[in-house]
């Protein structure tokens, strides 16, 4: 990684800089890399390698010939095994999926039996991004988007689970607006407040049980950069959370394919080995929403 950093820096100085001579460019390269404790011998080696690569002329393609003699000469140089019809060669499609013990092996066997032209490769879930500390300032929770959130009830143990593609503060402002409308309706006309419908399970729970939700204690429980995965992630969390106020109809469109993995996730969260579990909702999305062969 350190050599790549120095190599990219030298490339940028040489290729992008236009107002300095070659000696001035070398002075800038040595000045900055030596300040970062790069050895002089390593700097010279990288600099010579990059300069040789730039100065080496690229081989020119052979001239095109349009006469029949040229075509005959080319055919004589083609090996006999390469002159077979292209249809006889198998075309494979390669896809990478996260490695999950037992599950990845089963998926691979299923694909080999049903799709012999598809080759699956396993990739680790914990990458360098998970091992190295973040270097960017964290985004405040209220400014994050593409998230699944949970709002706890202030008067019981239940909660409301929702999703938003916009910033979380924008979605919460909509909840606060509905809660304020309901509160004003209760003050003016109690009977009308009981019959009012806001189309939200959160407000319906407040009307039926006369409870309040603490929006200030909203938590982000999941996120995804794929917009199409958010509704499925929301349904997965509603299914695995027994104390939600969400409508059961919210999970009607959840495929039964997820039942086994959701059951495994639920059991792992309830066991003492929950912190060691490698299965997560995000992994579930990456497995079932990878590009189709």
């Amino acid at each position: 990684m350190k050599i790549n950093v120095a190599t990219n820096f030298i490339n940028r100085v040489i290729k992008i800089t236009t107002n300095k001579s070659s000696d001035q460019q070398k002075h800038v390269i040595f000045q900055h890399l030596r300040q970062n404790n790069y050895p002089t011998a390593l700097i010279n080696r990288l600099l010579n390698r990059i300069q040789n690569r730039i100065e080496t002329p690229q081989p020119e393609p052979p001239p095109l010939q349009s006469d029949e003699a040229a075509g005959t000469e080319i055919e004589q140089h083609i090996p006999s095994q390469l002159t077979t019809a292209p249809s006889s060669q198998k075309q494979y499609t390669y896809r990478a999926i996260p490695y999950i013990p037992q599950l990845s092996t089963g998926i691979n066997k299923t694909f080999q039996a049903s799709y012999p032209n598809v080759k699956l490769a396993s990739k680790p879930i914990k990458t360098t991004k998970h091992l190295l500390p973040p270097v960017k300032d964290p985004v405040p929770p209220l400014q994050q988007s593409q998230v699944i959130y949970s709002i706890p009830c202030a008067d019981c143990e239940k909660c409301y689970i929702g999703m938003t593609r916009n910033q979380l503060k924008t979605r919460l402002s909509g909840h606060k607006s509905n809660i304020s409308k309901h509160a004003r309706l209760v003050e003016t006309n109690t009977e009308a407040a009981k019959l009012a419908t806001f189309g939200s399970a959160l407000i319906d729970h407040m009307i039926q049980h006369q409870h309040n939700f603490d929006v200030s204690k909203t938590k982000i429980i999941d996120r995804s950069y794929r917009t199409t995965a958010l509704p499925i992630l929301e349904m997965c969390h509603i299914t695995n959370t027994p104390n939600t106020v969400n409508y059961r109809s919210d999970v009607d469109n959840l495929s039964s394919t997820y039942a086994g993995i959701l059951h495994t996730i639920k059991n792992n969260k309830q066991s003492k080995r929950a912190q060691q579990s490698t299965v997560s909702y995000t992994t579930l999305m990456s497995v079932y929403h990878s590009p189709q062969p």
Side-chain angles (χ1 to χ4, degrees), residues 60-116:
E60 296 182 359
L64 297 177
Q65 299 180 5
S66 58
D67 56 341
E68 297 180 358
T72 306
E73 182 179 353
I74 294 175
E75 290 179 359
Q76 292 176 354
H77 290 83
I78 298 178
S80 59
Q81 61 269 23
L82 297 180
T83 59
T84 56
S87 58
S88 61
Q89 299 179 356
K90 291 185 178 180
Q91 299 293 331
Y92 291 105
T93 301
Y94 296 91
R95 291 290 183 268
I97 62 174
Y99 176 74
I100 303 174
Q102 299 180 355
L103 176 63
S104 298
T105 306
I107 293 177
N108 204 346
K109 290 181 179 179
T110 302
F111 265 81
Q112 287 181 355
S114 303
Y115 304 96

Side-chain angles (χ1 to χ4, degrees), residues 2-292:
K2 294 180 179 179
I3 292 177
N4 286 338
V5 170
T7 303
N8 291 333
F9 172 69
I10 296 174
N11 271 320
R12 292 188 179 207
V13 172
I14 295 177
K15 294 182 179 180
I16 298 178
T17 305
T18 58
N19 59 348
K20 294 183 182 297
S21 63
S22 177
D23 293 336
Q24 291 175 333
Q25 291 177 3
K26 289 182 180 180
H27 176 74
V28 171
I29 292 172
F30 274 92
Q31 178 184 5
H32 288 278
L33 293 182
R34 285 299 300 148
Q35 288 179 355
N36 289 274
N37 296 326
Y38 278 87
T40 303
L42 176 62
I43 300 174
N44 283 321
R45 187 165 66 249
L46 294 177
L47 188 59
N48 292 333
R49 182 189 305 171
I50 294 173
Q51 286 180 338
N52 292 335
R53 188 186 309 163
I54 296 175
E55 295 174 358
T56 302
Q58 297 296 328
E60 296 182 359
L64 297 177
Q65 299 180 5
S66 58
D67 56 341
E68 297 180 358
T72 306
E73 182 179 353
I74 294 175
E75 290 179 359
Q76 292 176 354
H77 290 83
I78 298 178
S80 59
Q81 61 269 23
L82 297 180
T83 59
T84 56
S87 58
S88 61
Q89 299 179 356
K90 291 185 178 180
Q91 299 293 331
Y92 291 105
T93 301
Y94 296 91
R95 291 290 183 268
I97 62 174
Y99 176 74
I100 303 174
Q102 299 180 355
L103 176 63
S104 298
T105 306
I107 293 177
N108 204 346
K109 290 181 179 179
T110 302
F111 265 81
Q112 287 181 355
S114 303
Y115 304 96
N117 62 325
V118 177
K119 298 292 185 180
L120 295 182
S122 299
K123 62 180 181 180
I125 298 175
K126 290 186 177 181
T127 59
T128 309
K129 179 180 178 181
H130 298 84
L131 300 177
L132 298 178
V135 295
K136 295 183 178 179
D137 293 334
V139 179
L142 292 179
Q143 296 181 12
Q144 296 183 20
S145 57
Q146 302 282 101
V147 298
I148 309 296
Y149 61 91
S150 174
I151 304 177
C153 179
D155 300 307
C156 64
E157 297 181 354
K158 293 189 175 183
C159 65
Y160 172 81
I161 294 177
M163 72 167 188
T164 178
R165 297 180 177 89
N166 301 320
Q167 290 188 351
L168 182 58
K169 63 180 180 180
T170 304
R171 185 68 185 96
L172 293 182
S173 65
H175 286 302
K176 293 178 180 178
S177 177
N178 288 337
I179 292 174
S180 300
K181 290 179 182 179
H182 174 257
R184 289 194 299 267
L185 194 59
V186 170
E187 293 177 357
T188 56
N189 192 338
T190 306
E191 296 298 327
K194 293 180 181 180
L195 300 176
T197 56
F198 290 84
S200 171
L202 184 146
I203 301 298
D204 288 347
H205 179 78
M206 295 177 59
I207 294 174
Q208 294 176 7
H209 302 279
Q210 297 182 355
H211 287 180
N212 292 315
F213 280 86
D214 194 350
V215 181
S216 61
K217 295 183 179 180
T218 302
K219 294 181 179 179
I220 296 177
I221 57 178
D222 214 335
R223 58 177 49 83
S224 176
Y225 293 106
R226 298 179 179 177
T227 305
T228 55
L230 282 176
I232 301 179
L233 277 175
E234 181 189 27
M235 289 188 287
C236 290
H237 282 281
I238 295 174
T239 301
N240 269 16
T241 306
N243 60 336
T244 59
V245 301
N246 297 78
Y247 304 129
R248 291 296 100 185
S249 58
D250 292 344
V251 297
D252 288 343
N253 295 326
L254 185 64
S255 173
S256 58
T257 309
Y258 300 99
I261 300 180
L262 289 176
H263 181 71
T264 302
I265 295 175
K266 187 174 182 179
N267 290 341
N268 286 335
K269 285 190 173 183
Q270 293 175 352
S271 65
K272 295 181 180 179
R273 297 175 299 175
Q275 297 179 351
Q276 302 176 357
S277 174
T278 59
V279 181
S280 65
Y281 295 99
T282 306
T283 302
L284 180 71
M285 293 300 100
S286 60
V287 169
Y288 284 95
H289 292 274
S290 58
Q292 298 297 321

